[in-house]
Amino acid sequence: MNSSFGSLHDSGPSGGFLLNIDWVTVLIYLALCTIGFLNIYSVEFTESREVFFDMSTNYSKQLLWIGISLLLGIIILIIDARFFTTLAYGIYLATFLVLLITLGFGKEVAGSKSWIQIGSFSLQSSEFAKFATALALAKLLNTYQVNMQKTQDMLLGFLLILLPVGLVLLQNDTGSAIVFLGLTLVLFREGLHPAFLLIPVASVILFLSVLVFGKIAVLGFLIAIVVIILNAMVKKATLKAYMLVFALLFLSGGVVYGVDYAFHSILQQHQRERIEVLLGQKIDMKGAGYNVHQSLIAIGSGGISGKGFLEGTQTKFQFVPEQHTDFIFCTVGEEHGFFGSAAVVLLFMVLLLRIIYRSEKQKHKLVRAYGYGVVSILLVHFMVNIGMTIGLLPVIGIPLPFISYGGSSLLGFTLLLFLYLKLDASFKYDFL
């Protein structure tokens, strides 16, 4: 095993260590948390409220969670980095057991049995399993023997990801399961063949195509493509190439004929309705399409510069359900317009690109792989949340990192990001 732990040049908060911390990332984190708090405050603002800090309000609770998260971040920076790297598999196993406990004894919220009740607080266990899975995957990829070109190692990497995915799906939390699957991007960075990325992408395209055009049309298109390919390779193709083409046609045909079963027997009613609304096959402004319709009205009404802080009518009159959590971005769009929305998107893009840049400069695979794990998780949350808010993706129900209301998500994202900052600062890197 290549642990590389001996290369830690500073594991505590000394002057040298503090200089190595990526303070730009810290500032972006603080900016996003502040933006989140201000927009949550705007959602609940009433002129008649006399007390600012009131624990019956979501913005007061979020302010408390921000304070707790900052304390958690400081603790992570103080703890020796080798604590996390050495116990990576143990942390993964512990969160896996918590997911099991949640499945058996958890509290059901909005149809998902993914919450653990602790006193008056509820914590979503999958939010903490994300960082643990990213860390365990990074440690696995840091070993000398692991090579994503080898079938056994590839399967082991997928297994680390799919185990929590299975439990989260059993909890009926599809959104979190999709986030875990995003960690497969780490495997591609570390050598997994790109063909494995094309398979799920092609399957999704086929799935949606069948829903829009029907099985016969899609099969006819596939056969036509195969005929064109066979005609082009008739003089120089090998038997293996022919077998590959027909195998792909057979698999594609299987996906096409499996769409009806998957759509009607696996997906739940509300999931089917959201997909139908997204594809324009169903107009349901009072049901499945209500949230997105109201969200688009709110964002569109903001125009270029927005209506101003605390001036959003869609926000003030609570037209958009879950506006302080999953649909917080429409508050940004309504009150701060295109400029405010673009600023939030730009902050996320700078954050993700900076983590990628610094991860690529790392000499140690563990830190690089974990950095890409952080990027994968944040990217999926960012793209899916904003995508569903503006009607480009079906409503899944995952928060916008650091901005949406929620103690579990904020603690989970803080843990994820600050552990990256700790590892990044503790391991030597080369910026040449």
Side-chain angles (χ1 to χ4, degrees):
M1 300 286 285
N2 176 24
S3 61
S4 301
F5 303 149
S7 297
L8 286 164
H9 68 280
D10 193 343
S11 59
S14 65
F17 173 79
L18 293 176
L19 289 175
N20 285 334
I21 293 177
D22 182 12
W23 291 107
V24 173
T25 294
V26 174
L27 289 175
I28 295 174
Y29 164 82
L30 293 174
L32 291 172
C33 288
T34 302
I35 291 170
F37 169 74
L38 291 175
N39 281 278
I40 294 168
Y41 176 77
S42 180
V43 170
E44 291 193 312
F45 172 76
T46 56
E47 295 180 356
S48 60
R49 191 179 300 280
E50 298 179 356
V51 180
F52 173 76
F53 191 79
D54 180 357
M55 287 305 292
S56 65
T57 62
N58 289 321
Y59 68 80
S60 294
K61 294 177 183 177
Q62 187 71 1
L63 188 60
L64 176 62
W65 284 120
I66 290 174
I68 295 173
S69 297
L70 288 173
L71 179 60
L72 174 64
I74 293 172
I75 291 173
I76 292 172
L77 294 180
I78 292 174
I79 295 176
D80 193 313
R82 286 168 290 193
F83 171 81
F84 298 102
T85 53
T86 303
L87 299 179
Y89 294 141
I91 295 171
Y92 173 84
L93 178 60
T95 57
F96 183 80
L97 292 176
V98 173
L99 286 175
L100 273 175
I101 294 171
T102 305
L103 181 61
F105 306 99
K107 174 184 176 183
E108 185 171 321
V109 177
S112 297
K113 195 175 182 181
S114 55
W115 298 79
I116 292 180
Q117 189 75 33
I118 304 176
S120 59
F121 293 99
S122 295
L123 293 176
Q124 191 171 9
S125 55
S126 60
E127 295 295 341
F128 303 96
K130 293 171 187 175
F131 107 90
T133 305
L135 182 60
L137 188 62
K139 183 169 183 177
L140 172 69
L141 293 170
N142 189 51
T143 60
Y144 279 124
Q145 297 86 357
V146 167
N147 184 341
M148 283 298 107
Q149 300 295 326
K150 298 178 181 178
T151 303
Q152 181 178 351
D153 294 342
M154 179 187 67
L155 292 176
L156 188 57
F158 276 117
L159 183 64
L160 272 178
I161 298 171
L162 293 177
L163 283 176
V165 167
L167 289 181
V168 170
L169 284 174
L170 289 175
Q171 294 173 1
N172 198 26
D173 187 0
T174 307
S176 293
I178 292 173
V179 175
F180 279 100
L181 290 175
L183 286 170
T184 56
L185 294 175
V186 182
L187 302 182
F188 290 106
R189 171 58 187 84
E190 299 302 329
L192 186 66
H193 196 282
F196 289 96
L197 181 61
L198 295 176
I199 292 173
V201 172
S203 298
V204 171
I205 293 174
L206 283 174
F207 183 88
L208 296 177
S209 298
V210 171
L211 293 179
V212 174
F213 302 107
K215 286 186 293 189
I216 302 301
V218 174
L219 280 175
F221 177 78
L222 289 174
I223 292 172
I225 293 295
V226 169
V227 170
I228 293 173
I229 293 174
L230 292 176
N231 184 61
M233 50 189 279
V234 66
K235 293 183 179 180
K236 50 186 177 181
T238 63
L239 177 60
K240 185 177 180 181
Y242 281 113
M243 291 177 64
L244 178 61
V245 170
F246 282 109
L248 289 175
L249 177 62
F250 177 78
L251 291 173
S252 300
V255 171
V256 169
Y257 274 97
V259 168
D260 283 340
Y261 175 79
F263 189 74
H264 293 98
S265 301
I266 297 178
L267 295 180
Q268 299 181 19
Q269 178 65 28
H270 69 278
Q271 294 171 329
R272 295 195 294 270
E273 290 176 348
R274 289 170 180 176
I275 293 175
E276 289 171 341
V277 169
L278 177 69
L279 297 176
Q281 297 177 332
K282 183 175 183 180
I283 306 298
D284 188 8
M285 295 305 181
K286 294 183 179 180
Y290 178 80
N291 289 27
V292 175
H293 179 64
Q294 294 298 327
S295 176
L296 290 173
I297 291 175
I299 294 173
S301 67
I304 297 297
S305 58
K307 298 175 180 178
F309 183 54
L310 304 180
E311 298 298 325
T313 53
Q314 294 290 111
T315 294
K316 185 174 295 184
F317 295 108
Q318 300 180 344
F319 282 103
V320 184
E322 307 299 332
Q323 191 164 346
H324 61 299
T325 53
D326 298 339
F327 283 85
I328 191 68
F329 188 72
C330 70
T331 305
V332 178
E334 182 181 21
E335 296 194 347
H336 307 286
F338 172 79
F339 291 140
S341 301
V344 170
V345 171
L346 182 61
L347 280 173
F348 273 109
M349 294 306 298
V350 172
L351 175 64
L352 296 174
L353 291 174
R354 186 165 183 83
I355 295 174
I356 291 174
Y357 174 75
R358 291 178 69 95
S359 297
E360 284 295 336
K361 295 297 182 180
Q362 277 285 349
K363 294 179 179 179
H364 297 280
K365 187 186 289 187
L366 184 145
V367 186
R368 183 181 70 216
Y370 182 75
Y372 271 88
V374 174
V375 169
S376 300
I377 291 171
L378 294 180
L379 179 64
V380 173
H381 271 275
F382 166 68
M383 291 182 62
V384 171
N385 181 275
I386 293 183
M388 72 180 188
T389 303
I390 61 178
L392 294 179
L393 293 173
V395 177
I396 294 176
I398 60 176
L400 186 60
F402 313 115
I403 294 181
S404 292
Y405 168 78
S408 295
S409 62
L410 184 57
L411 287 174
F413 290 130
T414 300
L415 183 56
L416 180 77
L417 184 63
F418 273 77
L419 179 54
Y420 160 74
L421 291 171
K422 176 66 179 182
L423 295 175
D424 178 64
S426 296
F427 284 79
K428 294 179 181 179
Y429 52 84
D430 183 7
F431 277 102
L432 297 178

